[in-house]
Structures are given as C-alpha cells and as structure tokens.
Amino acid sequence: MPERVGRHGEASAGLPANVIVFERGWLSSNNILFVGAEETALVDTGYATHADQTLALVESVLGKRPLDRVLNTHLHSDHCGGNAALQQRYPSLRTDIPPGEAALVERWDAQSLSFLATGQSCPRFGFTGLLEPGTECLLGDSAWQVHGAPGHDPHSVILFDPVSRTLISADALWENGFGIAFPELMGEPSFGDIAATLDLIEKLSPHQVIPGHGGVFTDGERALHTARRRLAGLQRDPVKHARHAMKVLMKFKLLELHAVSHVEWGAWLAGTPYFELIRARFFTGETLEALTGDLLAELVAVGAAQSDASGVRNA
C-alpha cells in the first residue's frame, strides 16, 4: 500500500535551499535531506517496511551522488528503520545516533531497545558517531546545534539552525501535540521532561519547525500552546494517556500488516511486552484480552479499524 509523501523546500516553507523535507505518512517519520557542497546527509530514515521508498526518495534528489551521512534524532523504529537499507546501498555511509543507547546498538540488544517491546521491526544497523547534546554538526553547509530533548524518548535530540532559525523537532513538538511519553508508561516520570523540552523550544524561538510527523509549520507559539494544554491533560489523567498509547501501538501494527487473523492478532498482543507492562501498571483489574478487546472496539468505533469473523483489518 503506497503511503502519502510530500516534499517541502524553500518556496513552500521558508527553509534553506539545500534542505528538502520528505513528509511521510505513517508508519514512517519525516526524512530531512541536506545537500551540501561537500556532503549529503539524511535526518531520520523511516520504518523498515518503507525502506525501498526511502531509498527512492533519496535517489530522486541525489541521482548518482552518494548519501554520505545519516543522523537519527532517536531510535524508535519509525525514525531509524531505514538505516540498514541505506547502509547497504551506500557502503561508505556514516551514521550518527544519540549517545544514550549506543551501547545497546553496538551489541544489538533487541530486548533492551524498544523494537521488540513495541512489537515493531527494525533491521540491525551500525553507527560510526554520536550526536552529543551541546555540540554542533555541519548539515548542508550550515552549523546545526544538537540539543537534548527528553520526554517522548529519554535519549532524543532535536537540531536547530540559529541562522535560518529552523528546528528539526522530531517527536518533541508537532503542530498539534507531541509523541507518546513512553517512559511514563514504564513508571519513569517524563511529563516534566516534556515540559522542559517545550520550554527549550520556546527559548530557541524557531521561525519554522520540521516535525517528526506532519507538515512543516511556522506558528511555533500556537504549537507550544497546544502541546502544553495537551500535556496538562495527560498529567491530570495518566490512565487516558496509557489507553491512548496502547491504541497507537495497535493502530501502528494494523498499518503495517493491513489485515491479520484473530489468532495472529491475539498472539501479537500477548507477545508484545509493552501491552502487559502497561496493563499491570494502569489496569490491574482487567485481563489483557479484555482490555485490548475494548481498545480494538474503540478503534473500530472511530473508523480506525475493522473487525469481523475473518480477522482484524486496518481502516
């Protein structure tokens, strides 16, 4: 099934001329391509099942010129799932990741990385460098600042160009919110980290924001107001946040599979550790089968899924 892809450049979003944004549809994060005089680079690489499309998008701009560098804002599967394919396509490719999970990637500890826990896939990849917060990296002939942005992911970074005042916000800020607070689901407080990251973005005062998902936007003040309002709601009702997170993981899998039998769907739910961990923390009075059955019914009710005797389908 093809996904929606849009391209944003200088004319449409006020971005620097050598920055091209590939706006991806779920399952993939947006990809940001830099075409410099000496080096090309791609920030975030999408989901594994969309790797062929990621390669095609990069090649549609670079042609025979190689991709020199990949940078990941964080190591969720929708942001780094194309790393392995790009490394295979471009053997000299350098890959920079945030330092927090570097040791896990080096030994490929799939149990400790988030891929198995969320029931998602990510082919093994290597890395050659680290995106250390407080440093700068050269992208498209400009110096971009690397800032730590914990909350959605404790190890995430965001990138900021102080000249054009362009922010690559990953999942720390979208036009209408931000990514799930995954540490909160595991009992590690992170709502405060999200608030601090939003404060940091406000201090940076970007003129345009390239989010991890959705279109490039320029009204950062409005986006921050929306994000803070949403954050306050999550803090008041963490159980609602937990239900939402479980539904997002379920919808993500349906987007990947398109259709699945009830037996296979039940096996995936039972075999994905996050579901039982979230249930045990927030829904002790319910069985996992009953809880996920209710959540699937909610997805069906809003037109996000279909379920009948033949199985479960994306909608």
Side-chain angles (χ1 to χ4, degrees):
M1 177 184 295
E3 62 162 330
R4 175 176 55 85
V5 177
R7 181 180 296 182
H8 298 272
E10 184 179 24
S12 62
L15 299 175
N18 55 6
V19 178
I20 298 122
V21 179
F22 299 123
E23 183 187 344
R24 309 294 293 272
W26 298 95
L27 309 161
S28 287
S29 69
N30 293 337
N31 318 132
I32 303 95
L33 181 64
F34 293 83
V35 184
E38 302 295 330
E39 182 182 81
T40 62
L42 187 72
V43 174
D44 289 336
T45 64
Y47 193 59
T49 57
H50 293 167
D52 286 346
Q53 190 177 64
T54 302
L55 287 168
L57 288 167
V58 170
E59 290 175 356
S60 73
V61 175
L62 297 185
K64 296 187 179 301
R65 185 175 178 181
L67 180 66
D68 299 309
R69 189 179 182 191
V70 154
L71 305 90
N72 297 122
T73 57
H74 59 297
L75 299 185
H76 287 170
S77 63
D78 56 329
H79 288 256
C80 63
N83 283 19
L86 287 162
Q87 289 174 355
Q88 183 176 10
R89 171 67 179 81
Y90 301 103
S92 299
L93 186 71
R94 306 194 320 276
T95 302
D96 296 332
I97 65 174
E101 294 180 312
L104 302 180
V105 174
E106 191 165 26
R107 64 176 185 268
W108 202 252
D109 186 344
Q111 202 65 43
S112 299
L113 292 164
S114 65
F115 315 130
L116 289 181
T118 56
Q120 297 167 10
S121 60
C122 183
R124 182 170 185 169
F125 61 85
F127 69 96
T128 53
L130 300 176
L131 285 175
E132 295 279 3
T135 65
E136 292 184 341
C137 57
L138 194 66
L139 298 171
D141 305 324
S142 297
W144 288 67
Q145 301 169 353
V146 182
H147 295 274
H152 166 68
D153 177 271
H155 312 296
S156 184
V157 300
I158 56 178
L159 304 172
F160 182 65
D161 172 20
V163 177
S164 68
R165 308 205 68 78
T166 301
L167 175 70
I168 297 175
S169 64
D171 294 339
L173 181 68
W174 301 336
E175 189 167 14
N176 293 299
F178 47 81
I180 293 165
F182 278 105
E184 282 283 343
L185 302 174
M186 300 298 105
E188 302 169 13
S190 64
F191 288 147
D193 289 335
I194 290 175
T197 294
L198 295 176
D199 289 345
L200 167 63
I201 292 173
E202 183 174 41
K203 289 179 182 177
L204 293 175
S205 187
H207 288 170
Q208 53 264 330
V209 179
I210 306 171
H213 302 275
V216 178
F217 60 92
T218 57
D219 195 345
E221 185 176 342
R222 176 188 171 279
L224 286 167
H225 176 75
T226 299
R228 286 176 170 135
R229 188 176 67 245
R230 180 174 176 231
L231 177 59
L234 298 180
Q235 291 172 311
R236 287 192 301 269
D237 192 352
V239 174
K240 182 178 180 181
H241 173 246
R243 291 182 72 88
H244 172 69
M246 295 178 81
K247 285 190 286 187
V248 166
L249 292 174
M250 293 166 72
K251 175 65 174 178
F252 191 98
K253 196 63 178 180
L254 288 176
L255 282 162
E256 179 182 355
L257 298 176
H258 307 307
V260 60
S261 72
H262 285 291
V263 171
E264 292 171 315
W265 180 247
W268 177 76
L269 291 169
T272 298
Y274 259 31
F275 288 114
E276 175 56 26
L277 290 168
I278 296 170
R279 186 211 64 79
R281 178 166 174 77
F282 294 96
F283 307 99
T284 54
E286 300 183 59
T287 66
L288 182 62
E289 184 177 8
L291 175 60
T292 54
D294 288 344
L295 296 174
L296 177 59
E298 292 177 15
L299 289 172
V300 171
V302 298
Q306 296 177 345
S307 180
D308 57 27
S310 66
V312 183
R313 295 181 300 281
N314 184 50

